[in-house]
Amino acid sequence: MKKHILDLRVASVSHVSEKYVMIRLTADFQLPEMMPGQFVEIRVDNSPSTYLRRPISIHYVDKESNTLWLLVAKVGEGTKAMAALHEGDTMNIVAPLGNGFTIAEGKTLLVGGGVGVAPLLYAGKAISDIGGEPVFLLGARSAADLLELERFKGIGRVYVTTEDASQGEKGFVTNHSIWHEEAFDRIAVCGPKPMMVAVARLARELHTPCEVSLENMMACGLGACLCCVEKTKDGNVCVCTEGPVFDIEKLNW
């Protein structure tokens, strides 16, 4: 898929919570085709200490409004600088990058934790659009950390776990009762690595195909800097070019 270097206009910045911000980008030209699970590399112009681009998952692409949505966690100087942007500002991105989730008919369980829920909204919409059934299982420490629940509910069924039992079932996503109550044709996962490893183990036990979106540090997004290398059954590969989405059977987990 062809990569583009684009100057996009900030259409809006919404502070979803104290930790997260939603940035919507648009342009006077048609945005390029982007697939669920792919990501963009953002040049951070208003942070003197941020020298490298920052990889951000594609949260959603609204073709009707010609907008790209990015759900950003404010964790460092680069992402905090992004959160400080205003409507009308310009953001330079490289997009689309990487390989996305398999979008197929049937019933797919999309499992996310923390900001790892970001790529699942677009994936769920794509599955729904071809007649499949997306089911979301979203985990967080507490109800205050759950993101975009109403948007997910607009696409498919949503199940929730929180570690403090403030919403949904108590515990981790792997503790949810849905694993024992329903069968799925596929599983797609994004979130902290320990969570993804646990879901991958459960998927193997259930003999269900499973893909995970790795979050290795990716500086260039083009396979040149080698900082995102992951050891797989096929040898060492760059997550930014061979992933970020991998079939669990290719990983040494």
Side-chain angles (χ1 to χ4, degrees):
M1 185 175 284
K2 184 178 180 180
K3 301 171 181 60
H4 305 263
I5 300 176
L6 306 170
D7 281 325
L8 301 183
R9 184 174 69 257
V10 176
S12 66
V13 179
S14 305
H15 292 268
V16 177
S17 70
E18 184 179 343
K19 300 178 183 177
Y20 300 97
V21 64
M22 173 80 73
I23 303 173
R24 291 182 177 87
L25 304 171
T26 190
D28 295 329
F29 51 85
Q30 186 66 40
L31 295 177
E33 185 72 17
M34 296 180 238
M35 304 304 295
Q38 291 186 306
F39 67 100
V40 302
E41 285 275 359
I42 297 174
R43 189 182 71 204
V44 185
D45 294 328
N46 52 340
S47 174
S49 62
T50 306
Y51 303 106
L52 300 173
R53 289 179 180 264
R54 291 293 184 263
I56 302 292
S57 295
I58 294 170
H59 182 45
Y60 193 73
V61 178
D62 188 332
K63 295 182 180 179
E64 289 187 9
S65 63
N66 195 41
T67 53
L68 164 64
W69 301 11
L70 304 175
L71 185 60
V72 180
K74 297 180 283 184
V75 295
E77 292 303 315
T79 49
K80 289 176 181 176
M82 291 180 211
L85 291 169
H86 298 91
E87 181 180 343
D89 287 342
T90 298
M91 178 181 282
N92 181 273
I93 73 167
V94 182
L97 296 170
N99 298 303
F101 290 107
T102 298
I103 304 301
E105 296 180 353
K107 187 162 60 171
T108 301
L109 182 65
L110 299 112
V111 186
V115 78
V117 306
L120 303 183
L121 185 72
Y122 193 29
K125 180 63 163 60
I127 291 168
S128 177
D129 285 347
I130 65 168
E133 181 186 359
V135 180
F136 300 100
L137 175 56
L138 309 177
R141 289 178 179 156
S142 69
D145 298 312
L146 292 166
L147 302 170
E148 299 284 278
L149 283 187
E150 293 307 311
R151 295 194 191 280
F152 284 106
K153 289 177 182 178
I155 295 173
R157 286 184 287 140
V158 176
Y159 297 89
V160 167
T161 64
T162 50
E163 294 176 33
D164 64 359
S166 54
Q167 188 164 339
E169 296 187 14
K170 179 178 173 60
F172 303 119
V173 289
T174 48
N175 303 131
H176 199 283
S177 58
I178 194 173
W179 295 103
H180 309 290
E181 296 172 353
E182 294 191 42
F184 297 91
D185 298 297
R186 305 190 64 84
I187 300 170
V189 194
C190 187
K193 186 173 180 179
M195 183 205 80
M196 293 196 292
V197 170
V199 173
R201 186 180 302 118
L202 187 51
R204 287 193 178 99
E205 292 174 3
L206 296 171
H207 305 288
T208 305
C210 179
E211 292 178 333
V212 296
S213 179
L214 301 191
E215 297 183 326
N216 298 34
M217 183 179 293
M218 294 180 280
C220 73
L222 303 171
C225 68
L226 303 180
C227 71
C228 66
V229 168
E230 178 78 14
K231 192 172 184 179
T232 73
K233 293 178 181 178
D234 297 324
N236 293 334
V237 301
C238 289
V239 170
C240 66
T241 55
E242 301 303 314
V245 177
F246 289 88
D247 187 308
I248 61 170
E249 298 309 320
K250 294 185 177 180
L251 299 174
N252 294 318
W253 287 6

